[in-house]
Amino acid sequence: MVTIADVARHAGVSSSTVSYVLSGKRAISEETRRRVRSSVQVLGYHPNAGARALAARRSHIIALMVPLRTDVYVPVMMEIAIAVTTAARQHGYDVLLITNDEGPDGVRRIAASGLADGLILMDVELDDERIPVLRAQGTQATLIGLADDARGLSCVDHDFVAAGALCADHLADLGHREIAFIGYGSGVYHRHAGYAERTLAGFRDRAGQRGLRFLHRTCEGTYESTAGTLARVLADRPGTTGFVVQNEGAIGPLLTLLRTSGRTVPEDVSVIALCQDQLAEQFAPRLTAVTGSAQELGRVAVEQIVGRLATSNDGGRPDDDRALLTPTLTVRESTGPAPLLP
Amino acid sequence: MVTIADVARHAGVSSSTVSYVLSGKRAISEETRRRVRSSVQVLGYHPNAGARALAARRSHIIALMVPLRTDVYVPVMMEIAIAVTTAARQHGYDVLLITNDEGPDGVRRIAASGLADGLILMDVELDDERIPVLRAQGTQATLIGLADDARGLSCVDHDFVAAGALCADHLADLGHREIAFIGYGSGVYHRHAGYAERTLAGFRDRAGQRGLRFLHRTCEGTYESTAGTLARVLADRPGTTGFVVQNEGAIGPLLTLLRTSGRTVPEDVSVIALCQDQLAEQFAPRLTAVTGSAQELGRVAVEQIVGRLATSNDGGRPDDDRALLTPTLTVRESTGPAPLLP
DNA sequence: AGCTAGCGTTGAAGCGTTTCGACGGTGTCA
DNA sequence: TGACACCGTCGAAACGCTTCAACGCTAGCT
């Protein structure tokens, strides 16, 4: 193993000088810097992470707490996790993965052991047990999702309210009057998942403003449940010409069921999905969809926490900041003008 | 911050005793152990990760290198990542996430800095650049996937050869004679992804033994490419009655296309998928599928590397061990006896 | 009785960094 | 010309933990 002392010897300077060259925390002459850098190269020196963490009291690690749940669309989580990891590396941080099932104790463990300098929490519930722990430990954190009480913490999330409104507007613009909103399974609403509630609220408000009649129905995302949901919708509101689908699992079944029931998309009914573009492209017809960038979500989360870590030892007192990412509507082949009344 | 010295003072012992109680590396009297444990509780002591890593030369961290690529089914990767994380915790390890784009340098960085004690590499290619680095650094590692030259490393993977054979056997048992194998996009084969090649080989060999005629066609997994692939298959071999699908994205389109072309599943054609059970259940009809457990893959990978880390300082020389996980066939509604010849 | 073996505990020596205070040298200003 | 500030470098003191050698005991053996 090559240590800082080896580098110092090789470059003919003291080890503190090497440290300062690497950290840039003190002025070092051009000449010395050059020599040290080259020694580092030649010897293949990488500072020992443990020693660094111990001396500097910073591990340069960010912990990312991911949900175990599988009732949300998994690729999105993965995309966020990867975006977080690459963004973190660009700021000199590594990412430690921990699972939600460690719960508040996990947060305590990570914070108290100094394993990570800060945390990013995914799948935050409105009233989350981990938040008080964060405050008690004085740990820096960013929440992905909005919590009830985020004083002193930073949050980032998609603007689901805007996403819901975009759907309502698009269908209203096309002349549709009766819409069905196919949501997630009832469990998601019962645990007050913010994204589900906020999308629905955004849709509902805008639908009201635009004079749309609409129905909200839960759906587990299997073929059977989608069939049941659709049957009930058509029984209750035979005049429905627009569908908003939030549960990714229900999209395929819905399209198949509409087709077998003799309804053509988009001539007879329009379908708009709340899902990733990649997924929307996979269906036939390609789906008009409202999307937020998971990549950006991860990137912003990292920037928030890195910002906090940087200012928190300058004595700067970071305010609670919350970022809402604007979703985009991409019109494809699954939506069209409402059919003329018979 | 609570240190080991605080605990020692509180319990009226020396800090080394506290350390031994916690690590269990020396005999400690029942009485002392009790007192120390209770002090740990009361004070809420968590050993400082950096100091621990520095003194013991072990970080108790395993690095998991995940692919950025999205051409394989993403939820599986996530499932593995989570399985690795939970399994690692059970052995007292945390998991550091790094992305494939760091490449061999990433491996060097992690190994040389002592950030992680060992690595788990996903998406290993047959001739992987990271493997020589691993050997040069003398770092413990487990590969998920099989490499050309895995001397001194451990590997774990699904037995894709057996999976392919299971598909062939099942269709042969049902009396099918002409089969189409719908694979991944050509890019996957060009970069010699082991799982794709091995599945195909397993299928091909067994199909040969069982006297099946078959066609292998690549497919990108979009609706259009599936339509093109299917059209070519039906043109070349109109008598095809069995389909094996490996590309998850092609499943939905294939079922839709078969239906619109007037073919009923499973009466006219049988479809067997190589995918997770969860996904297979989502279609109508539910798909007969061959599956390997992603959870187990993650768990075994962790056990291999933890085993190596344990024996590697006992001077034990761990052999290269490779584990192949047996896949299972679950018969559902999408396969049935071959139709009688007209 | 004398010797060895093991038990439970301790003090102290690292582990490889960062960072503080200090030092000589150089330039600037009065 | 003297005082002062700043620059580039260094030595040494942490940082909080693990682990080794050593200690005084008691117990078991010859």
Side-chain angles (χ1 to χ4, degrees):
Chain A
M1 170 183 229
V2 26
T3 72
I4 200 173
D6 299 329
V7 177
R9 209 169 307 123
H10 187 271
V13 295
S14 75
S15 54
S16 40
T17 302
V18 176
S19 177
Y20 286 124
V21 167
L22 262 27
S23 70
K25 292 195 180 175
R26 282 208 185 169
I28 298 285
S29 72
E30 178 56 35
E31 157 64 8
T32 308
R33 221 165 9 187
R34 229 197 22 39
R35 266 213 329 283
V36 169
R37 292 244 169 80
S38 110
S39 299
V40 166
Q41 278 291 330
V42 171
L43 301 180
Y45 169 68
H46 287 265
N48 178 281
R52 200 147 94 102
L54 178 58
R57 319 161 114 189
R58 309 204 121 213
S59 62
H60 289 271
I61 289 178
I62 294 170
L64 175 69
M65 205 162 189
V66 302
L68 287 179
R69 228 190 294 284
T70 62
D71 58 356
V72 281
Y73 189 56
V74 181
V76 174
M77 272 167 32
M78 192 73 192
E79 203 178 333
I80 295 177
I82 288 183
V84 164
T85 307
T86 51
R89 282 299 310 142
Q90 281 165 17
H91 294 270
Y93 283 83
D94 274 290
V95 171
L96 197 81
L97 199 62
I98 40 181
T99 54
N100 229 335
D101 63 342
E102 287 201 53
D105 284 347
V107 173
R108 228 181 316 259
R109 179 175 74 85
I110 300 296
S113 68
L115 223 191
D117 298 334
L119 281 88
I120 296 178
L121 265 46
M122 292 179 68
D123 199 38
V124 176
E125 295 180 16
L126 283 180
D127 179 20
D128 204 295
E129 284 185 293
R130 296 168 295 180
I131 294 179
V133 177
L134 247 25
R135 262 198 265 277
Q137 305 266 331
T139 309
Q140 297 294 350
T142 290
L143 315 181
I144 294 185
L146 262 31
D148 259 350
D149 173 16
R151 281 174 298 119
L153 301 170
S154 60
C155 304
V156 54
D157 207 350
H158 296 303
D159 190 342
F160 287 104
V161 171
L166 272 177
C167 293
D169 272 335
H170 180 61
L171 292 174
D173 289 345
L174 289 169
H176 296 271
R177 316 308 306 158
E178 301 215 3
I179 316 289
F181 187 107
I182 313 290
Y184 284 108
S186 51
V188 174
Y189 296 93
H190 282 144
R191 65 165 215 269
H192 296 291
Y195 53 92
E197 297 192 337
R198 277 150 48 215
T199 311
L200 185 59
F203 175 78
R204 177 189 295 130
D205 292 354
R206 187 58 55 88
Q209 290 165 25
R210 302 289 303 254
L212 304 180
R213 289 186 74 197
F214 85 99
L215 232 43
H216 167 233
R217 289 287 177 269
T218 60
C219 178
E220 304 295 331
T222 64
Y223 189 87
E224 277 73 20
S225 68
T226 309
T229 302
L230 179 61
R232 281 184 293 132
V233 167
L234 294 178
D236 293 353
R237 294 272 175 87
T240 299
T241 62
F243 287 87
V244 179
V245 199
Q246 185 162 28
N247 189 333
E248 292 83 359
I251 298 176
L254 179 66
L255 292 176
T256 304
L257 288 159
L258 286 173
R259 194 176 295 122
T260 55
S261 75
R263 274 158 248 253
T264 311
V265 175
E267 286 76 6
D268 300 323
V269 295
S270 287
V271 175
I272 180 168
L274 288 145
C275 74
Q276 280 188 302
D277 285 324
Q278 198 200 353
L279 190 63
E281 300 268 2
Q282 278 198 7
F283 295 95
R286 273 186 272 272
L287 300 178
T288 295
V290 172
T291 312
S293 160
Q295 297 237 8
E296 199 183 344
L297 200 60
R299 217 202 55 231
V300 172
V302 168
E303 276 161 14
Q304 286 192 339
I305 197 141
V306 169
R308 287 180 156 251
L309 291 173
T311 58
S312 68
N313 30 343
D314 301 357
R317 153 163 308 298
D319 304 351
D320 38 322
D321 40 7
R322 52 171 61 198
L324 280 185
L325 272 34
T326 308
T328 58
L329 168 75
T330 307
V331 179
R332 296 196 184 81
E333 304 155 1
S334 69
T335 51
L340 296 175
L341 293 174
Chain B
M1 170 182 229
V2 185
T3 72
I4 200 173
D6 298 329
V7 177
R9 208 169 309 123
H10 187 270
V13 295
S14 76
S15 55
S16 40
T17 301
V18 176
S19 177
Y20 286 124
V21 167
L22 262 28
S23 70
K25 293 194 179 175
R26 286 217 182 164
I28 298 285
S29 71
E30 178 55 35
E31 157 64 8
T32 307
R33 219 165 10 185
R34 232 197 18 44
R35 267 214 326 285
V36 169
R37 291 244 169 80
S38 110
S39 298
V40 165
Q41 277 291 330
V42 171
L43 301 180
Y45 169 70
H46 288 263
N48 179 282
R52 200 147 93 102
L54 178 59
R57 305 128 151 236
R58 312 202 119 210
S59 62
H60 289 270
I61 289 179
I62 294 171
L64 175 69
M65 205 162 189
V66 302
L68 287 177
R69 229 190 293 283
T70 63
D71 59 357
V72 280
Y73 190 55
V74 182
V76 175
M77 273 168 31
M78 192 72 192
E79 203 179 334
I80 295 176
I82 288 184
V84 164
T85 307
T86 51
R89 282 301 308 144
Q90 281 164 17
H91 294 270
Y93 284 84
D94 275 290
V95 170
L96 198 81
L97 199 63
I98 41 183
T99 54
N100 228 336
D101 63 343
E102 286 201 54
D105 284 347
V107 173
R108 230 182 313 262
R109 180 175 74 84
I110 299 296
S113 67
L115 223 191
D117 298 333
L119 281 88
I120 296 178
L121 265 47
M122 292 180 68
D123 199 36
V124 176
E125 296 180 16
L126 281 182
D127 179 20
D128 204 295
E129 284 185 292
R130 295 167 295 179
I131 293 179
V133 178
L134 246 25
R135 263 197 265 277
Q137 305 267 332
T139 310
Q140 297 294 350
T142 291
L143 315 181
I144 295 186
L146 262 32
D148 260 350
D149 174 16
R151 279 174 300 120
L153 300 170
S154 59
C155 304
V156 55
D157 207 351
H158 296 303
D159 189 343
F160 286 104
V161 172
L166 272 178
C167 293
D169 272 334
H170 180 61
L171 292 174
D173 289 345
L174 289 168
H176 296 269
R177 315 309 308 158
E178 301 216 4
I179 316 289
F181 186 106
I182 312 290
Y184 285 108
S186 51
V188 174
Y189 295 94
H190 281 143
R191 65 165 216 269
H192 296 290
Y195 54 92
E197 297 192 338
R198 277 150 48 216
T199 312
L200 186 57
F203 176 77
R204 177 188 297 131
D205 292 353
R206 187 60 54 90
Q209 291 165 22
R210 302 289 304 252
L212 303 179
R213 290 186 73 198
F214 85 99
L215 232 44
H216 168 232
R217 290 288 178 268
T218 60
C219 179
E220 303 295 331
T222 63
Y223 189 87
E224 277 72 20
S225 68
T226 310
T229 302
L230 179 62
R232 281 183 294 133
V233 167
L234 294 177
D236 293 352
R237 295 272 174 86
T240 299
T241 62
F243 288 87
V244 179
V245 199
Q246 186 162 29
N247 188 332
E248 293 83 0
I251 298 175
L254 178 67
L255 291 178
T256 304
L257 288 158
L258 287 173
R259 193 177 296 123
T260 56
S261 76
R263 274 159 248 255
T264 311
V265 176
E267 285 78 4
D268 300 324
V269 296
S270 286
V271 175
I272 181 168
L274 289 145
C275 75
Q276 281 188 302
D277 285 324
Q278 199 201 351
L279 190 62
E281 299 269 2
Q282 278 197 8
F283 295 94
R286 273 184 273 269
L287 300 178
T288 294
V290 171
T291 312
S293 160
Q295 296 236 9
E296 198 183 344
L297 201 59
R299 216 201 57 230
V300 172
V302 168
E303 276 161 15
Q304 286 193 339
I305 196 140
V306 169
R308 287 179 156 253
L309 291 173
T311 59
S312 68
N313 32 342
D314 301 357
R317 154 162 306 299
D319 305 350
D320 38 323
D321 40 6
R322 51 171 62 199
L324 280 184
L325 272 34
T326 309
T328 57
L329 167 75
T330 308
V331 179
R332 296 196 184 82
E333 303 156 2
S334 68
T335 51
L340 298 175
L341 293 174

